[in-house]
Amino acid sequence: MLKKKICLLGSYGVGKTSLVARFVHSMFDDKYHTTVGVKIDKKVLTLEGEELTLMLWDMAGEEDGAPVKLNQVKDASGYLLVIDGTRAKTLEVARSIQQRVEAEIGARPFLALINKADLRETWEIPDSTWTELTDSGWTLLETSAKSGQHVEEAFFALSKRILQAPAEEDEND
Amino acid sequence: MKTTDDLFAGLDLAVFEEQPDGAWHAVGLLPDWLALPAGPLDLLDCFPMLEVFLPDCDFAKRSQSDTWTEPDPRNPGEELYLQAVACGTDERKFLALRTLPGELLTWQQLAHDVELEKEKVERLSRELEQKRREAERATEAKSTFLAAMSHEIRTPLNAIIGMADVLSGTPLNTEQHKCVEVFQRNGVALLNLINDILDLSKVEAGHMELESTDFDVREVVAAAMEVVEVRVKAKALWLNQILVPGVPFYLTGDPNRLRQIIINLLGNSIKFTDRGGLEIRVECDPGNPSARAGDQINGWLRFAISDSGIGIPEDKLGRIFESFSQADASTTRKYGGTGLGLSISKQLVELMEGHIWVESDVGKGSTFFFTAHFGVQQDQTDRKPVSTERTSVEDLEAGISGLKILLVDDSDDNRSLILAYLKNIHSHIEIAENGLIATQMFRKNRYDVILMDVEMPVMDGYEATSEIRKIEAASGAKPTPVFALTAHAFADMAVKGYAAGFTELLTKPIRKVTLLEAVAGHSSSGEAVTHAAPAQSMEESFTVMVEDGMEDVVPGYLEKRRAEVPLYQTALAANDFETIKNLAHKMKGTGSGYGFPRLTELGSILEQAAIGDDAAQIGEALKQLAGYTARVKLVFP
Ligand SMILES: Nc1nc2c(ncn2[C@@H]2O[C@H](COP(=O)(O)OP(=O)(O)OP(=O)(O)O)[C@@H](O)[C@H]2O)c(=O)[nH]1
Ligand SMILES: [Mg+2]
């Protein structure tokens, strides 16, 4: 069976754990439990008639003094870059993570998720920034772990990209 | 083997050893926090973290993995924080799994919660700031709009009220006379309304600034009483004033605004009083702490305006000082007035550090109180008896006959109005259609009085007046009184106007008597000089209005120019005209932009002098530059 590792990267508190909980368990918790280290979950999905096991590495959010551990991302097939739409700062963190991944362990498929779409009125990220990011080659998706909006779509879209991407070196079975 | 089991159990570790076939087998008992599926064990499948950890770890050196989180099999919903430790010898490889203490989470969670809370507060304060700025902009826009509108309304009103005044001075039959009176009364009412709205918007926008001049409080009260006198008489009321002994007469503050408050309150009382009368009482504020301590002369006064009118119901007392909130909307219809007077009074009183309130008995009357703080002049010896007498128009006209007057105005209507006002004084009046023509005429002739419109095509009143001041300064002539005729009623106009050298500003619509009084006040030979602005008022205009938005840069700019003076002096001593030319050129190019036309002018003089190697001229200009930069006063918006 095909197995792919996906990492969820981004600043702390952006909703990485919540997105996984929504996707895997169809649950949402308003209370914030920060992730220690990494929490690994598994989800089997059928994509274009084929079964695919996703290993979801929900990593501790990046913060000052604790950058994302790239050694854990190294063998991932792709990643979701999560941004909190209500905190402009988390977009900068995402940009910086993306650049480090590219520079230090090489490019791989990724999708940027602007999460907390249910709070869109309070978003701090202007539409011009969207255009700018899209122009620079990013694929963006508005998601909400709370309402479930675009959560499945996000994981499926990334999986498709991974399967379509020229397999550099398939470490997984 | 049993002892090893016990040992591991005591350490609370899950230990595994690598078998020759690569599989990991448990050593001893596994702790109860580790839930592994039954049957043959694929440790890497259970703990994917090991896939990342094992390939890179050094068993000989006892390496530790990164932490990861697992569900706690003993407590559903809880989590465990695990870490793998690898150790061994060349022959044997061991892997131990251990749990990390929960405190790890506690402080991390706390740190994140605090950070998120901080970000939220920052975001909210940013939003608040944004809202505040938007509100400010809106108020700003409103007051700019009102200012512009009031200008547009005042100008035609000027013509209407003025012409009505003129008309009332001509032979009329009774009916015509009544008509003219209606013009006059309604024109003035409309003007008052515009002034009220303008005042209110200015206070709201924070643009209202109080003057600080010496005045006699008795004169202010008398002037206010005089204004309402006609209305008091018309309703057959009486009007008393009580000045409690001990009140200092000679104060420093804004007499015009104080008079405005008193007139508003008197006017309001008259409106609601049909029987009996009114009383205005002035005393030292008994509620002021230092007054209670026996210090009476502290500048805190309390004014009380009582009437025997209809009174105000208790439930309306609180709202009476709000804009557009006359106790009853029908009141406006029945008693007239805008109801803005009280609201303006409240704002003005607060600017004077005081407060305003009302006590009322329905059916018996009301008393409006307000307190205000003034400076107390040193000398309180009674200088002159209060006189409410006014010179009649005829006396005024007689007093200023025979003058040579230059009237500068581009509007035909305005010119005919002023000419009509001056018809009875036997004067010689010349006319200029704009500032440029005026300065050309002024070069050839001398005038006793100049009446100068402010907004004109080709050359406006400011420029023309400063030009005239320059011509006078160059010839050493005595300054001619220049009266600005302006439809703008803003304080910054005054600053700009006095800086340009105006003797006095007359705000349109100008009443005949106001114009005559102003001219009379400045044209009698002796007084003209004392009242007029100093001869070099342009050259020595030491007040500069800082433009809105420039507050941050103007002081620094001025400071730099001040600091440059020694550089010029050093260069001059070394005959280094090149440096002087460069410095001066820059100042010439920038001065006006920062609101200092004088610096541009001096820059130009210095530059020219430096080009001509004229050390004497440079020395003279430097003196002026030093004096100007040291003394110029910035007025902030
Ligand atoms: N309104 C709303 N809240 C969300 C959404 N996603 C997550 N949250 C809330 O945001 C907070 C943080 O969510 P987490 O999923 O723990 O964020 P994380 O990125 O895993 O954070 P770390 O583990 O600290 O890196 C929690 O209080 C969630 O309930 C969303 O889509 N909408
Ligand atoms: Mg998390």
Side-chain angles (χ1 to χ4, degrees):
Chain A
M1 188 167 58
L2 207 51
K3 194 162 132 189
K4 294 287 175 192
K5 171 173 171 182
I6 287 178
C7 291
L8 283 100
L9 307 180
S11 171
Y12 58 90
V14 294
K16 298 178 294 296
T17 306
S18 303
L19 286 165
V20 172
R22 164 63 67 189
F23 182 54
V24 179
H25 308 291
S26 307
M27 289 192 327
F28 177 77
D29 186 356
D30 252 320
K31 206 162 149 23
Y32 176 31
H33 302 285
T34 192
T35 306
V36 177
V38 57
K39 207 161 127 183
I40 303 160
D41 237 310
K42 203 156 69 172
K43 168 98 175 173
V44 181
L45 44 123
T46 313
L47 198 70
E48 286 157 3
E50 261 198 278
E51 284 221 323
L52 169 69
T53 304
L54 284 186
M55 298 303 294
L56 304 169
W57 285 53
D58 165 23
M59 307 187 39
E62 176 159 301
E63 62 186 300
D64 288 346
V68 161
K69 295 203 161 70
L70 291 178
N71 65 315
Q72 295 178 19
V73 186
K74 220 165 39 189
D75 62 348
S77 306
Y79 58 98
L80 292 172
L81 202 48
V82 187
I83 295 155
D84 180 344
T86 66
R87 291 152 63 211
K89 222 165 100 179
T90 65
L91 171 64
E92 293 322 306
V93 175
R95 271 194 225 259
S96 141
I97 292 175
Q98 196 269 339
Q99 280 163 10
R100 265 175 286 142
V101 168
E102 202 116 310
E104 289 171 37
I105 59 175
R108 57 206 67 211
F110 76 96
L111 223 59
L113 308 185
I114 312 197
N115 192 36
K116 307 199 182 174
D118 51 293
L119 301 176
R120 211 178 192 304
E121 328 78 83
T122 67
W123 274 20
E124 281 186 336
I125 298 171
D127 290 349
S128 58
T129 312
W130 276 70
T131 332
E132 192 186 303
L133 289 173
T134 316
D135 288 349
S136 74
W138 286 28
T139 304
L140 297 169
L141 211 56
E142 273 181 54
T143 59
S144 167
K146 187 166 183 170
S147 74
Q149 183 195 349
H150 292 165
V151 176
E152 289 212 352
E153 284 88 333
F155 286 95
F156 272 88
L158 180 63
S159 306
K160 262 194 205 150
R161 280 183 172 232
I162 288 171
L163 296 182
Q164 283 160 5
E168 320 95 64
E169 164 199 356
D170 209 349
E171 284 172 35
N172 304 295
D173 324 304
Chain B
M1 234 17 217
K2 209 171 192 177
T3 45
T4 329
D5 284 356
D6 290 345
L7 192 66
F8 282 132
L11 282 175
D12 205 23
L13 292 173
V15 183
F16 302 87
E17 185 176 8
E18 192 180 42
Q19 303 302 306
D21 64 355
W24 291 88
H25 284 185
V27 179
L29 292 175
L30 292 177
D32 62 353
W33 47 259
L34 195 71
L36 291 174
L41 188 67
D42 184 347
L43 204 59
L44 268 69
D45 199 41
C46 292
F47 301 112
M49 176 58 113
L50 299 177
E51 287 172 10
V52 173
F53 173 58
L54 288 175
D56 288 340
C57 81
D58 186 345
F59 282 84
K61 278 201 182 128
R62 193 180 178 295
S63 28
Q64 298 183 5
S65 77
D66 290 328
T67 314
W68 77 92
T69 298
E70 289 288 343
D72 186 342
R74 299 162 303 180
N75 307 304
E78 302 285 301
E79 289 177 334
L80 294 173
Y81 311 113
L82 298 190
Q83 191 181 38
V85 184
C87 61
T89 60
D90 287 345
E91 290 88 44
R92 304 178 70 178
K93 288 182 177 171
F94 293 96
L95 194 62
L97 303 184
R98 63 176 182 193
T99 55
L100 294 176
E103 293 89 72
L104 193 66
L105 173 76
T106 317
W107 69 257
Q108 203 165 329
Q109 181 76 58
L110 212 66
H112 288 175
D113 286 344
V114 167
E115 273 305 309
L116 286 181
E117 206 51 42
K118 207 177 86 191
E119 282 177 23
K120 202 193 262 167
V121 170
E122 280 167 7
R123 195 159 58 237
L124 285 177
S125 64
R126 261 203 310 280
E127 278 164 17
L128 269 177
E129 174 66 10
Q130 170 88 7
K131 290 224 174 73
R132 195 185 59 77
R133 245 184 268 135
E134 275 164 18
E136 228 167 52
R137 260 201 299 278
T139 317
E140 188 78 36
K142 191 176 88 181
S143 77
T144 311
F145 169 77
L146 282 169
M149 275 307 290
S150 84
H151 175 215
E152 296 302 317
I153 299 170
R154 274 162 191 260
T155 305
L157 206 52
N158 178 30
I160 296 170
I161 297 179
M163 281 305 182
D165 277 1
V166 172
L167 203 57
S168 76
T170 61
L172 297 172
N173 66 33
T174 323
E175 198 184 341
Q176 287 169 328
H177 207 84
K178 267 191 196 148
C179 293
V180 172
E181 261 179 30
V182 171
F183 286 159
Q184 287 178 310
R185 202 170 52 241
N186 286 288
V188 170
L190 187 53
L191 182 62
N192 288 340
L193 172 61
I194 294 165
N195 286 341
D196 278 0
I197 293 176
L198 200 62
D199 275 354
L200 200 62
S201 73
K202 264 195 291 184
V203 189
E204 275 176 1
H207 287 322
M208 176 74 77
E209 269 170 36
L210 292 185
E211 263 181 48
S212 179
T213 50
D214 289 349
F215 67 95
D216 181 340
V217 67
R218 294 170 299 177
E219 278 174 16
V220 172
V221 172
M225 288 171 64
E226 190 193 316
V227 170
V228 299
E229 197 179 77
V230 186
R231 291 159 67 194
V232 170
K233 281 192 185 143
K235 289 184 100 171
L237 305 171
W238 45 259
L239 174 57
N240 277 347
Q241 68 156 312
I242 298 176
L243 223 76
V244 175
V247 173
F249 302 143
Y250 298 109
L251 305 173
T252 307
D254 194 331
N256 292 322
R257 293 306 181 181
L258 175 61
R259 191 182 58 217
Q260 189 180 355
I261 300 168
I262 299 173
I263 292 173
N264 281 344
L265 296 180
L266 284 173
N268 188 71
S269 290
I270 295 168
K271 209 159 66 176
F272 297 103
T273 307
D274 293 326
R275 231 175 294 116
L278 295 82
E279 180 184 280
I280 170 165
R281 179 186 172 94
V282 186
E283 59 196 325
C284 290
D285 179 11
N288 186 268
S290 61
R292 265 183 255 125
D295 172 17
Q296 293 286 303
I297 313 289
N298 57 19
W300 280 98
L301 298 191
R302 187 174 85 171
F303 298 78
I305 286 124
S306 314
D307 63 55
S308 53
I310 58 172
I312 304 157
E314 177 108 31
D315 60 321
K316 303 278 169 60
L317 285 178
R319 285 181 43 230
I320 191 162
F321 295 105
E322 286 168 22
S323 308
F324 302 103
S325 70
Q326 281 197 345
D328 189 331
S330 60
T331 312
T332 314
R333 259 169 285 129
K334 191 159 152 206
Y335 296 96
T338 59
L340 291 178
L342 291 181
S343 160
I344 293 166
S345 300
K346 174 174 194 284
Q347 311 257 23
L348 291 175
V349 163
E350 279 163 8
L351 282 177
M352 294 180 183
E353 304 169 55
H355 53 117
I356 189 166
W357 71 99
V358 58
E359 290 169 9
S360 187
D361 247 343
V362 175
K364 294 204 178 122
S366 312
T367 302
F368 283 81
F369 294 92
F370 71 93
T371 57
H373 189 210
F374 301 100
V376 177
Q377 293 176 39
Q378 285 265 302
D379 182 7
Q380 289 292 335
T381 45
D382 208 346
R383 275 160 249 174
K384 58 174 179 211
V386 182
S387 143
T388 57
E389 239 175 77
R390 276 174 87 148
T391 332
S392 73
V393 170
E394 288 76 19
D395 289 346
L396 283 169
E397 285 177 336
I400 52 177
S401 275
L403 294 178
K404 189 171 171 199
I405 298 174
L406 175 60
L407 171 60
V408 192
D409 201 316
D410 62 310
S411 146
D412 212 20
D413 286 346
N414 284 340
R415 285 198 307 261
S416 11
L417 178 65
I418 302 289
L419 289 178
Y421 282 173
L422 299 176
K423 200 182 71 189
N424 291 340
I425 67 169
H426 304 283
S427 51
H428 172 78
I429 302 174
E430 288 178 17
I431 288 175
E433 265 106 43
N434 64 47
L436 187 63
I437 299 174
T439 55
Q440 285 160 353
M441 290 170 71
F442 188 81
R443 263 180 247 278
K444 294 191 217 110
N445 295 292
R446 287 294 113 139
Y447 301 90
D448 297 309
V449 168
I450 299 174
L451 302 173
M452 178 81 75
D453 186 25
V454 173
E455 275 151 21
M456 287 179 290
V458 188
M459 183 190 275
D460 67 18
Y462 297 119
E463 207 182 332
T465 304
S466 49
E467 196 57 42
I468 285 170
R469 295 306 181 212
K470 272 186 232 163
I471 298 167
E472 287 169 345
S475 69
K478 220 169 65 177
T480 315
V482 178
F483 296 97
L485 313 176
T486 167
H488 281 296
F490 283 109
D492 56 345
M493 287 284 299
V495 175
K496 202 169 155 200
Y498 290 123
F502 289 140
T503 309
E504 198 169 307
L505 281 115
L506 305 177
T507 308
K508 291 178 190 172
I510 297 157
R511 306 292 303 267
K512 181 172 175 178
V513 60
T514 314
L515 180 70
L516 294 180
E517 274 177 353
V519 173
H522 290 279
S523 57
S524 54
S525 53
E527 258 181 84
V529 185
T530 45
H531 279 256
Q536 318 88 321
S537 72
M538 172 60 196
E539 254 104 281
E540 303 293 340
S541 146
F542 286 115
T543 308
V544 167
M545 277 295 291
V546 177
E547 254 187 72
D548 217 346
M550 300 280 282
E551 314 78 80
D552 289 345
V553 289
V554 169
Y557 176 82
L558 180 63
E559 185 47 46
K560 274 198 206 123
R561 302 292 82 76
R562 198 177 292 151
E564 265 173 7
V565 173
L567 300 183
Y568 281 109
Q569 281 159 345
T570 316
L572 181 60
N575 277 340
D576 179 2
F577 296 115
E578 190 60 26
T579 300
I580 295 175
K581 195 188 89 187
N582 290 338
L583 286 170
H585 183 78
K586 270 188 230 134
M587 180 162 75
K588 181 180 93 177
T590 52
S592 292
Y594 282 91
F596 303 100
R598 176 69 176 144
L599 289 180
T600 289
E601 191 188 335
L602 284 171
S604 162
I605 294 169
L606 280 165
E607 186 186 25
Q608 284 310 315
I611 291 168
D613 291 3
D614 186 348
Q617 170 87 52
I618 292 171
E620 184 52 41
L622 277 185
K623 251 188 251 161
Q624 301 202 15
L625 178 63
Y628 181 82
T629 53
R631 288 167 58 194
V632 68
K633 232 181 93 202
L634 299 179
V635 177
F636 290 91

